[in-house]
Amino acid sequence: MGKELSVVVWAKQGCYYCGEVKNYLEEKGILYLTVDVTNHDERRDILEIKYGVRHVPVVEIGVGDVYKGIFQLPHG
């Protein structure tokens, strides 16, 4: 039996690209959990420790206990 896929979107309020990622996942019927970094520098610290970035969106895709981060570079 395969392990279930988990998706986590690290985002902040008012972020256009974060909204685009969430819309895409919803259109594809992919369930996800959001980690809101708005006014939470400690959550950005976690991103920096895990992936060396502080910007969002960051999408983590995991199977079981193993997660990989996917980044979208900020535009402009």
Side-chain angles (χ1 to χ4, degrees), residues 24-41:
Y24 175 83
L25 293 172
E26 289 167 10
E27 288 173 4
K28 299 298 181 187
I30 299 171
L31 299 176
Y32 62 90
L33 172 70
T34 300
V35 177
D36 187 349
V37 301
T38 308
N39 301 317
H40 293 282
D41 284 340

Side-chain angles (χ1 to χ4, degrees), residues 23-70:
N23 287 339
Y24 175 83
L25 293 172
E26 289 167 10
E27 288 173 4
K28 299 298 181 187
I30 299 171
L31 299 176
Y32 62 90
L33 172 70
T34 300
V35 177
D36 187 349
V37 301
T38 308
N39 301 317
H40 293 282
D41 284 340
E42 71 278 5
R43 293 178 185 168
R44 288 183 186 267
D45 293 343
I46 293 168
L47 283 177
E48 188 168 20
I49 290 166
K50 290 175 85 171
Y51 302 115
V53 299
R54 295 183 65 82
H55 63 79
V56 291
V58 171
V59 179
E60 290 182 308
I61 299 175
V63 176
D65 294 335
V66 179
Y67 282 82
K68 301 288 183 179
I70 300 171

